[in-house]
């Protein structure tokens, strides 16, 4: 409104501010209460009062101030498909680390022996065993994401001490067997590529390179260093992938062969009787690795903590430096509900994508190569030169003589990088198990050195005592030990994820209180228990068949 005070001077006064300042009300979120019987229309339709004000109409002086619902906090989830794909790529890395366990030297022996004996018929078991592995690994990711703890820490917190220590002894034995297999595989590959390098020296080199690589890894929540480590392991996996592709291109790939390969993914009678049953059990037992389950429960922690830190959500640091020593002290870190919802789906999707791409392809490719180059029909007699053995030296000679000299080199190179990457992950899992189960306060590098030396001592003794033949036989024996160790280690994973006691998350995010139950639903839990029982039956059957002498060599 404008008023004239003196001739020629006009004082401009602003219009009076209306009573209802809706912008300010929205920020303060008024909570005025009104009788529903009198003012229900104004409460249910606050936009009517907004229109009256916009047109300059005075609000009814008897009407209460409108009630505004608080706006939800801005969502950090991507809305467009492109944003979701970009966020998915940010989660790449943990799946590559876990996939290393499914393309290690143990799998080389199992897949090549199965392909040379049954050609492509066991491709169905390769597919089934990897699908089971993906499902159980997804439960591991869920357990680590929801609880913020790895499997060893969960066992120490919730299990009776005697049971926790029993599982720890089994897990430590499986780590020694796994690490021994990686040391042997790497040493044999180095000896093949560098014949003048003695086997004991190759064993020592396999330990040194693993410790040097692990200097770049930290589990203190520093996502940048974790991603550098994941990128390095991914490069090793890519090298294995490429060398297997090159070797695959050297075998027969005609139309008839392709049709037979595709038919191999359909179940047949041969894989459920006699030596076929033994080979099927060996594939399943060699695919699922106990140390991969421990690693799978720990890799999501860095991204969860990074999310909570960036969004200023209440959480404690996963690691703190002890003021009186240089060692690290474990503190209870529990991810926020928003961090869990933001990361869980992408973590499982990334794991599934990577294992499908790497683990299933590499194991199938090894079996296809062996089936195409080394398989002899039953009506023909296999010559002594084409005899297939589980000895890695014999497999190298078979690749070189039956396919091409370059195929032998590709086999040795892929075996080398497979052993290096698998040794890194195995040492990581040893550190996780020792730290979580025993709550030991040691320097991270010292813990890794102890874990690695526990495996190098048996490998050096075998290499010095019996040489090449002893190393290959020790690698076969490790597979049987891992099959038995898998049973007690996988049980707690299924048990924890199916119980609300362990899978409840605080829901105090500003709008609600209480807890959110994130346990497995009925279908997920039923499938999980069914798969665990299948693993138990197949692993026990492997040991029984070996005890009865029903192996491919005896059958």
């Amino acid at each position: 409104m404008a008023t004239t005070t003196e001739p020629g001077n006009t004082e401009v006064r602003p219009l009076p501010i209306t009573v209802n300042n809706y912008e300010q009300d929205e920020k303060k979120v008024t909570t005025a209460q009104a009788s529903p019987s009198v003012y229900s229309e104004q409460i249910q339709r606050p936009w009517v009062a907004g229109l009256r004000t916009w047109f300059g109409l005075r609000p009814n002086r008897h009407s209460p101030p409108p009630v505004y619902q608080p706006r939800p906090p801005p969502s950090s989830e991507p809305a467009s498909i492109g944003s979701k794909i970009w966020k998915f790529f940010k989660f790449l890395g943990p799946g590559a680390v876990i996939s290393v366990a499914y393309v290690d030297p143990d799998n080389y022996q199992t897949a090549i022996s199965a392909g040379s004996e049954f050609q492509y018929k066991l491709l169905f078991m390769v597919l089934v065993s990897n699908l089971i592995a993906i499902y159980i690994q997804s439960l591991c990711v869920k357990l680590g994401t929801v609880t913020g703890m790895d499997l060893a820490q969960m066992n120490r917190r919730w299990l009776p001490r005697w049971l926790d220590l029993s599982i720890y002894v089994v897990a430590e034995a499986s780590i020694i067997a796994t690490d021994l297999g990686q040391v042997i595989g790497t040493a044999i590959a180095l000896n093949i590529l560098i014949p003048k390098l003695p086997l004991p020296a190759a064993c020592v080199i396999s330990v040194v390179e693993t410790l040097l690589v692990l200097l770049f890894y930290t589990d203190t929540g520093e996502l940048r260093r974790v991603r550098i480590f994941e990128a390095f392991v991914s490069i090793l996996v890519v090298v294995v992938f490429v060398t297997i592709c090159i070797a695959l291109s050297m075998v027969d790939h005609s139309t008839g062969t392709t049709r037979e390969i595709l038919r191999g993914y359909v179940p047949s009678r041969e894989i459920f009787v006699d030596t076929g049953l033994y080979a099927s059990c060996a594939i399943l037992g060699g695919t699922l690795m106990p140390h991969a389950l421990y690693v799978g429960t720990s890799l999501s922690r860095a991204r969860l903590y990074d999310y909570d830190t960036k969004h200023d959500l209440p959480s404690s640091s996963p690691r703190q430096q002890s003021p009186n020593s240089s060692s690290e002290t474990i503190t209870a870190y529990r991810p926020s509900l928003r961090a869990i919802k933001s990361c869980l789906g992408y973590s499982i999707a990334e794991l599934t994508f990577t294992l499908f791409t790497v683990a299933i392809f590499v194991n199938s490719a090894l079996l296809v190569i062996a089936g195409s180059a080394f398989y002899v029909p039953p009506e023909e007699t296999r010559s002594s030169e084409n005899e297939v053995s589980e000895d890695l030296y014999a497999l190298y000679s078979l690749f070189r003589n039956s396919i091409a000299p370059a195929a032998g080199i590709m086999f040795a190179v892929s075996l080398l990088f497979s052993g290096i990457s698998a040794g890194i992950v195995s040492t990581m899992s040893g550190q996780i198990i020792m730290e979580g189960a025993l709550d030991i306060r040691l320097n991270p590098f010292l813990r890794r050195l102890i874990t690695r030396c526990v495996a190098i001592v048996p490998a050096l003794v075998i290499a010095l005592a019996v040489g090449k033949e002893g190393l290959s036989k020790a690698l076969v024996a490790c597979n049987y030990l891992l099959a038995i160790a898998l049973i007690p280690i996988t049980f707690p994973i299924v048990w924890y994820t199916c119980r609300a006691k362990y899978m409840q998350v605080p829901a105090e995010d500003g709008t609600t209180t209480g807890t959110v139950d994130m346990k497995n639903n009925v279908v997920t839990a039923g499938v999980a228990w069914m798969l665990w029982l299948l693993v138990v039956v197949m692993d026990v059957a492997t040991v029984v068949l070996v005890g009865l002498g029903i192996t491919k060599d005896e059958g």
Side-chain angles (χ1 to χ4, degrees):
M1 176 182 292
T3 59
T4 304
T5 56
E6 296 180 6
N9 294 331
T10 302
E11 180 182 0
V12 179
R13 298 178 181 175
L15 292 174
I17 301 176
T18 57
V19 177
N20 294 314
N21 188 339
Y22 297 108
E23 181 179 358
Q24 185 176 359
D25 290 343
E26 184 175 357
K27 293 179 180 178
K28 294 183 177 180
V29 189
T30 59
T31 58
Q33 301 293 330
S35 174
S37 61
V38 180
Y39 302 113
S40 59
E41 182 177 358
Q42 285 84 354
I43 295 176
Q44 294 175 6
R45 296 189 298 173
W47 56 273
V48 175
L51 289 177
R52 291 171 62 88
T53 304
W54 192 79
F55 283 105
L57 300 176
R58 287 179 174 271
N60 188 351
R61 59 188 180 90
H62 297 291
S63 63
V67 178
Y68 293 94
Q69 298 295 329
R71 288 184 177 179
S75 175
S76 60
E77 294 301 312
S80 64
I81 296 179
S83 300
K84 291 181 178 180
I85 294 176
W86 175 245
K87 183 177 180 179
F88 171 79
F89 278 108
K90 291 182 179 179
F91 277 80
L92 291 178
V97 176
I98 296 174
S99 68
V100 165
Y102 299 97
V103 292
D104 61 357
D106 298 334
N107 294 73
Y108 275 57
Q109 286 183 319
T110 304
I112 294 175
S113 299
S116 60
E117 186 75 13
F118 297 94
Q119 202 176 26
Y120 314 121
K121 295 181 178 66
L122 288 175
L123 284 173
F124 172 75
M125 288 307 302
V126 171
L127 178 62
V128 169
S129 60
N130 280 275
L131 290 177
I132 294 175
I134 290 173
Y135 196 91
I136 296 180
Q137 287 288 168
S138 298
L139 295 181
C140 294
V141 172
K142 183 177 182 179
L143 178 64
T145 302
V146 174
T147 64
M149 294 187 289
D150 56 59
L151 181 58
Q153 293 171 341
M154 288 289 293
N155 290 342
R156 178 178 176 82
R157 178 174 180 180
W158 296 107
L159 296 182
R161 191 57 181 160
W162 66 269
L163 182 57
D164 175 34
L165 291 178
S166 300
I167 295 179
Y168 166 71
V169 171
V170 174
E172 198 66 59
S174 68
I175 291 300
I176 294 175
T178 304
D179 233 355
L180 180 61
Q182 319 317 330
V183 171
I184 292 174
T186 305
I188 289 177
L190 286 172
N191 185 249
I192 290 174
L193 295 173
I194 310 175
K196 294 184 179 181
L197 181 67
L199 271 177
C203 292
V204 175
I205 291 176
S206 67
V207 175
V208 174
E209 46 81 13
T210 298
L211 294 177
L212 290 177
V213 171
L214 282 172
L215 287 176
F216 294 95
Y217 174 74
T218 176
D219 54 354
T220 59
E222 300 174 18
L223 185 57
R224 182 177 181 181
R225 292 185 64 183
V226 171
R227 281 178 170 161
I228 293 175
F229 170 77
E230 291 171 351
F232 181 82
V233 175
S234 300
I235 293 174
L236 298 179
V237 174
V238 168
V239 173
V240 174
F241 188 88
V242 171
T243 52
I244 292 298
C245 288
I246 295 175
L248 184 62
S249 66
M250 297 179 181
V251 299
D252 179 27
H253 49 273
S254 61
T255 304
T257 303
T258 304
R259 191 180 299 110
E260 290 293 327
I261 292 173
L262 295 178
R263 191 178 293 120
Y265 288 103
V266 179
S268 58
R269 177 183 176 276
E270 288 83 354
I271 65 178
F272 298 109
V273 295
D274 297 334
T275 57
L277 179 61
Y278 167 77
S280 300
C281 295
I283 289 177
L284 181 61
T287 300
L288 288 168
M289 305 297 286
H291 71 284
L293 305 180
Y294 282 92
V295 174
T297 57
S298 67
L299 290 179
S300 61
R301 193 179 305 161
R303 285 170 173 79
L304 291 167
Y305 183 66
D306 182 72
Y307 183 95
D308 284 336
T309 303
K310 287 183 178 180
H311 294 82
D312 296 326
L313 296 176
S315 63
S316 59
S317 173
R319 301 268 171 180
Q320 292 180 352
Q321 193 74 16
S322 174
N324 299 323
S325 67
S326 59
S327 63
E328 295 173 340
T329 303
I330 299 178
T331 59
Y333 167 65
R334 194 67 186 262
S336 66
L337 181 61
R338 286 176 56 188
I340 294 172
K341 291 182 176 180
S342 176
C343 298
L344 181 58
Y346 286 94
S347 298
I348 294 178
E350 185 267 345
L351 170 73
T352 304
F353 171 78
T354 307
L355 290 185
F356 256 107
T357 305
V358 177
I360 293 181
F361 174 80
V362 170
N363 286 285
S364 297
L366 288 171
L367 195 146
V368 168
I369 292 172
S372 300
F374 312 145
Y375 175 72
V376 176
E379 60 273 9
E380 298 181 12
T381 303
R382 186 186 296 271
S383 63
S384 58
E385 296 181 356
N386 293 329
E387 187 67 30
V388 178
S389 170
E390 292 184 346
D391 187 298
L392 290 177
Y393 286 101
L395 292 177
Y396 163 72
S397 300
L398 201 60
F399 268 80
R400 184 185 60 191
N401 299 329
S402 300
I403 302 177
I409 298 298
M410 290 297 102
F411 170 78
V413 171
S414 63
L415 181 65
L416 172 64
F417 281 88
S418 170
I420 293 175
S421 55
I424 293 170
V425 177
S426 178
T427 305
M428 280 177 56
S429 63
Q431 174 186 340
I432 293 170
I433 294 172
M434 181 182 295
E435 183 184 75
L438 302 181
D439 201 17
I440 294 180
R441 301 292 183 264
L442 294 176
N443 181 273
F445 183 81
L446 183 59
R447 286 198 304 265
R448 293 161 188 167
L449 180 61
I450 294 174
T451 303
R452 200 62 174 160
C453 288
V454 168
I456 187 61
V457 172
L460 280 175
V461 171
I462 295 173
L464 292 173
V466 292
K468 297 179 180 181
E469 183 180 354
L471 284 178
S472 296
K473 290 183 177 180
L475 191 57
V476 175
C478 288
N479 292 332
Y480 301 139
L481 178 61
L482 292 173
I484 296 300
L486 193 65
I487 298 174
I489 292 176
T490 52
F491 179 83
I493 297 172
V494 181
W495 175 261
Y496 291 140
T497 54
C498 292
R499 304 276 292 182
K501 176 181 178 181
Y502 315 107
M503 302 296 287
Q504 288 183 348
V505 181
E508 296 182 358
D509 55 359
T511 58
T512 59
T513 58
T515 58
V516 176
D517 186 2
M518 301 194 71
K519 68 177 181 180
N520 297 332
N521 56 40
V522 176
V523 176
T524 304
V527 174
W529 284 115
M530 184 173 60
L531 293 180
W532 181 79
L533 290 174
L534 178 62
V535 170
V536 171
V537 171
M538 298 292 279
D539 286 343
V540 172
T542 302
V543 179
V544 171
L545 291 173
V546 171
L548 296 176
I550 306 177
T551 64
K552 73 178 187 60
D553 294 326
E554 303 292 339

